[in-house]
Amino acid sequence: MTELKHALIVAHGQPSEPEPAEAALAALAARVNANASHIAIRSATLASPGRLEEILDDLPDGTPVYPLFTAKGWFVTRALPRRIGGRACPVMEPLGIDPELPDAVAEYLTSELAARQWEATATELVLAAHGSGRSQNPAEVAHGFADELQSRIGFARLTVGFVEQPPSIAEAAQGCGEQSLCLPFFACAGGHVQDDVPQALAEARFPGDTLPVLGDLPAVTRLIARRISEFSDAAT
C-alpha cells in the first residue's frame, strides 16, 4: 500500500482577524488537493497564533511547506523558517516567482477576454501589487511578472501600482477606459484586496472590473498542485 504523502500551504493571513483568512486558505488548499489527491494538503496562516506549529507537530518529518506569497521576501526567508524551527520540513519556492505563473495567469486572462469579446490590444490592465517601503524585491517581482504577462498577451497598456510604495494603485489606474481590468497581484484575498485596492480604484474612478486574486484562479490552483506533487515525488 502506497504511503500517503503530506504537504502544507502557508500564507500570511490577517492579524487583525485571523479566522476568515484561515478559512479562505483552507478552501484554497482543498481546491489544490482536488488536483493532487495522492497528497494530504493542509493549510495554516502565520497570523493565527500557534496554528502553524500545531499543524507541523501533527505532520511527519519531510513534509514540504509551500509559501503562498508573491515574493521571496522576509516572510518566506526569515519568518517562516523561524516558525518551522528545527522541524525537518523543507520550504518550497513561493508562488510569485514560479516561472510558469505568467503562463497560468495568461491562460485565465485570455479566457476572460474571450468571454467579454474583448481584444487584448484594445484592453488596459492594471496590476495591483503590495510593494514595500523597505525592500525593492517585491516591486521587482511584480514588474517582472507584468513584463512576462505583457509579452504573452499584448495589452494596449499594462501599468503596475502598489499599496505600500509609489506609484500607487490609484496612479496606475488613472485614465483607464471602460475596456479595462484590474488584476490583484496577491496570493490571497486579505485586507489589502478587500479594502485598499477598491479604495484606490475608486479614487482613480477606475471604470473596469477587478479580477480574483492569484490563488483563486483555476490555472494557478493546478500549478500549485503540480509543484507540490513534483516536489513530493522528487523527495521520495
Side-chain angles (χ1 to χ4, degrees):
M1 183 175 180
T2 303
E3 183 180 356
L4 181 65
K5 298 178 181 179
H6 298 264
L8 176 63
I9 298 177
V10 176
H12 182 268
Q14 188 76 18
S16 61
E17 195 177 2
E19 286 309 314
E22 199 72 56
L25 183 61
L28 181 144
R31 294 194 298 273
V32 174
N33 218 153
N35 290 279
S37 56
H38 63 297
I39 302 174
I41 300 176
R42 299 181 68 180
S43 63
T45 69
L46 296 177
S48 293
R51 179 170 173 79
L52 175 61
E53 291 80 1
E54 178 184 346
I55 291 180
L56 285 170
D57 287 343
D58 193 41
L59 293 172
D61 286 347
T63 296
V65 176
Y66 183 90
L68 197 68
F69 289 79
T70 53
K72 194 173 183 178
W74 184 83
F75 283 107
V76 174
T77 62
R78 304 283 291 278
L80 180 55
R82 186 169 66 237
R83 295 278 297 272
I84 292 173
R87 301 172 182 88
C89 296
V91 178
M92 298 174 60
E93 293 290 89
L95 171 65
I97 64 171
D98 192 305
E100 292 187 33
L101 181 62
D103 288 326
V105 177
E107 176 186 326
Y108 169 78
L109 289 172
T110 299
S111 67
E112 284 295 306
L113 291 171
R116 290 172 166 80
Q117 298 185 321
W118 287 2
E119 292 292 332
T121 52
T123 303
E124 297 169 284
L125 181 73
V126 177
L127 191 74
H130 189 280
S132 171
R134 295 174 293 181
S135 169
Q136 279 301 306
N137 180 54
E140 289 171 0
V141 171
H143 280 296
F145 174 81
D147 290 343
E148 293 291 336
L149 201 57
Q150 181 67 336
S151 71
R152 287 160 172 76
I153 297 184
F155 289 102
R157 184 172 71 129
L158 196 164
T159 55
V160 183
F162 302 98
V163 172
E164 292 200 352
Q165 70 181 83
S168 68
I169 296 168
E171 290 171 322
Q174 196 72 41
C176 285
E178 293 290 335
Q179 192 165 320
S180 56
L181 298 168
C182 175
L183 176 67
F185 189 64
F186 289 82
C188 304
H192 289 308
V193 175
Q194 295 165 356
D195 300 322
D196 296 326
V197 172
Q199 288 172 10
L201 295 177
E203 179 184 336
R205 299 190 178 183
F206 179 72
D209 296 331
T210 301
L211 302 171
V213 294
L214 302 179
D216 288 345
L217 307 184
V220 174
T221 301
R222 292 193 297 270
L223 175 61
I224 296 170
R226 181 155 54 85
R227 286 290 180 253
I228 291 175
S229 296
E230 291 169 349
F231 193 95
S232 297
D233 291 343
T236 301

